[in-house]
Amino acid sequence: MNGDRALEDVGRLLSRRVGLRLDPAIRGRLERAVRDQAASHGEDESAYVAGLEADPARLQELLNRVTVQETSYFRDPGQFAALATHVLPTLQASGERVHIWSAGCANGQEPYSLAMILAESGIADWHVTASDLSTDALSRTRAARYTERELRGLSARRRAQYLLQGDGEWQVVPELRDRVTIIRHNLAADPPPFTAGQCQVVFCRNVLIYFGHDDVVAFLDRLKAWLPPTAHLFLGYSESLWQVTDRFQLIRLGDAFAYRPATNAPIAEPRHVPEPRTRPAAPAPSQERRRRPRPAPPDPMPRQGMVELMADGEAALGRGEHAAAVTAFRKAAYLDPDHPIAHLNLGLALEVAGDGPASRRAYAAARAAIDRCDTAAVEATLEGYQLDGLTRLLEQKLRGS
């Protein structure tokens, strides 16, 4: 068994156990982790991988190396502002105990940011559950100790109010730490870590992008069954549930967006998206068709502007407002003509609106955006799609099948 075969075997194991898909962003990290872990145990890679299935401790060590723990306090501050301004006042008026789940809490800055918002809300009875797959991340979260560099995003006022300085580090005050429960949780296999109907807000940001498509759908189905009808789900700015599931619907909260459980939505049928395969090295580009870096979009605007247009289009489609959806996606495609998902969404909206010729032009533009840009740059814009699956989808659309 060679190294490539060992990597494919461990990729299948991680997909089956925790939903992690072996995409290009993960593959290099996993390859290095397998090599280093095998060396630390005095084994070759094949023997090391063969023993992972029956050794939970070794598998957890590998997961700790592979999972991404990069985060910061109040990351994407618009979402925290939306929580404080639009969600918590309603929950305060209801008089219920407020429970927020930070799913994929990394090193803890997100759940403690949520705890700070709750402490400032005037709500007396509240609690935060912080979960992650990495036991190293959970240890960091329990310690609640951060270096100066790890405090980015935290205002001077909140630093003074909620952190204590000592020995070159800062620690979250006990009053907040005591309100945060920290547990290991596998999003791909475990039920949500709260009593059904008793969690009103879920932050699950920049986590599902690492899952295979069917595992995302299965997680969202479980989550929908556990949440009250008025709950809010916050995802990362680059994540979208459109064309993934009908179990949640997008809503605007001021300058941010969140999802609410859809009323009487059927369980979405899993859409088959092929898992990524190792692609052979691309041949040298010809003079006629040389790949180039993605150019800057005309009339450039902040990334949040693109996200808002895409989300506006998704929300319009959810309301059945096809013309508004087409307008939003068309603007997004104009702002970034090399963004294949913007063209794809425009094509889907035009298709639903009954404009077949225009939808085919949009699909062709999406396919061309993939062809003329550097592969790594394209993969960075896919927002959870897989490059092979997206390419096949577009080719099917262009064939009319």
Side-chain angles (χ1 to χ4, degrees):
M1 183 184 293
N2 59 32
D4 288 342
R5 173 70 181 278
L7 190 64
E8 295 300 327
D9 286 346
V10 75
R12 283 190 289 271
L13 173 63
L14 295 184
S15 175
R16 187 172 70 254
R17 290 287 191 87
V18 300
L20 189 69
R21 60 184 175 89
L22 194 59
D23 69 0
I26 292 293
R27 189 180 184 88
R29 186 184 304 116
L30 180 60
E31 187 173 11
R32 291 189 297 273
V34 167
R35 182 180 62 244
D36 294 346
Q37 290 297 112
S40 71
H41 289 282
E43 299 174 343
D44 64 30
E45 294 176 17
S46 298
Y48 169 75
V49 169
L52 282 175
E53 183 85 46
D55 193 332
R58 287 195 184 191
L59 181 58
Q60 184 62 59
E61 289 176 354
L62 183 63
L63 289 171
N64 289 347
R65 289 283 305 272
V66 173
T67 51
V68 179
Q69 307 305 333
E70 179 63 27
T71 187
S72 62
Y73 278 96
F74 293 93
R75 183 179 183 181
D76 298 329
Q79 294 184 322
F80 288 94
L83 174 68
T85 303
H86 298 279
V87 179
L88 293 184
T90 301
L91 297 178
Q92 183 178 25
S94 72
E96 300 178 23
R97 187 185 200 220
V98 175
H99 187 175
I100 299 182
W101 178 23
S102 171
C105 67
N107 292 331
Q109 289 98 319
E110 178 179 275
Y112 291 123
S113 297
L114 293 169
M116 292 175 194
I117 290 287
L118 285 162
E120 296 165 359
S121 69
I123 296 172
D125 192 5
W126 59 267
H127 189 78
V128 176
T129 295
S131 71
D132 204 278
L133 190 63
S134 167
T135 53
D136 285 352
L138 296 176
S139 295
R140 289 290 318 277
T141 303
R142 289 190 184 94
R145 292 182 179 274
Y146 302 99
T147 64
E148 185 75 25
R149 183 185 65 82
E150 293 175 313
L151 298 184
R152 67 182 186 277
L154 195 60
S155 68
R157 178 187 65 80
R158 283 179 171 143
R159 181 186 300 200
Q161 184 173 358
Y162 298 118
L163 275 74
L164 302 172
Q165 187 176 19
D167 298 328
E169 292 185 319
W170 297 76
Q171 184 174 37
V172 177
V173 297
E175 293 80 4
L176 289 190
R177 298 203 312 271
D178 292 345
R179 306 286 284 270
V180 178
T181 297
I182 301 162
I183 63 170
R184 184 185 182 278
H185 183 269
N186 181 353
L187 291 177
D190 299 335
F194 51 84
T195 303
Q198 298 301 307
C199 180
Q200 301 96 334
V201 179
V202 176
F203 271 57
C204 184
R205 304 187 301 166
N206 307 306
V207 177
L208 299 183
I209 55 175
Y210 298 107
F211 280 27
H213 184 272
D214 289 353
D215 289 304
V216 172
V217 173
F219 165 71
L220 293 169
D221 284 345
R222 286 194 299 274
L223 184 61
K224 167 65 164 59
W226 245 255
L227 292 176
T230 57
H232 291 80
L233 168 63
F234 288 87
L235 299 180
Y237 273 131
S238 67
E239 297 172 306
S240 171
L241 300 186
W242 186 48
Q243 298 292 305
V244 175
T245 180
D246 297 325
R247 304 288 270 171
F248 291 85
Q249 63 186 55
L250 190 74
I251 62 168
R252 178 186 282 274
L253 297 173
D255 294 329
F257 296 87
Y259 286 90
R260 297 285 294 273
T263 304
N264 298 324
I267 294 178
E269 289 294 329
R271 297 178 175 86
H272 177 66
V273 178
E275 292 298 320
R277 299 189 305 273
T278 303
R279 294 189 295 275
S286 66
Q287 288 297 111
E288 293 77 19
R289 189 172 174 176
R290 185 176 300 277
R291 292 182 180 270
R292 59 178 172 80
R294 300 174 72 239
D299 189 19
M301 67 187 302
R303 172 64 181 155
Q304 176 61 21
M306 275 289 295
V307 172
E308 287 186 351
L309 285 170
M310 300 285 273
D312 279 343
E314 180 181 339
L317 277 179
R319 297 189 301 268
E321 298 173 0
H322 301 153
V326 168
T327 298
F329 291 138
R330 183 166 280 143
K331 288 180 179 178
Y334 171 77
L335 287 170
D336 191 349
D338 287 309
H339 195 310
I341 301 302
H343 292 290
L344 170 65
N345 288 355
L346 175 58
L348 292 169
L350 287 163
E351 184 176 337
V352 172
D355 192 341
S359 70
R360 287 177 62 83
R361 289 194 294 272
Y363 295 140
R367 187 67 181 86
I370 293 175
D371 284 344
R372 67 175 175 262
C373 295
D374 177 77
T375 299
V378 172
E379 287 170 344
T381 73
L382 293 190
E383 303 181 357
Y385 284 84
Q386 298 170 29
L387 183 59
D388 289 346
L390 175 60
T391 301
R392 279 191 287 273
L393 171 62
L394 290 169
E395 289 172 350
Q396 289 171 1
K397 291 291 187 182
L398 288 169
R399 288 195 303 267
S401 59

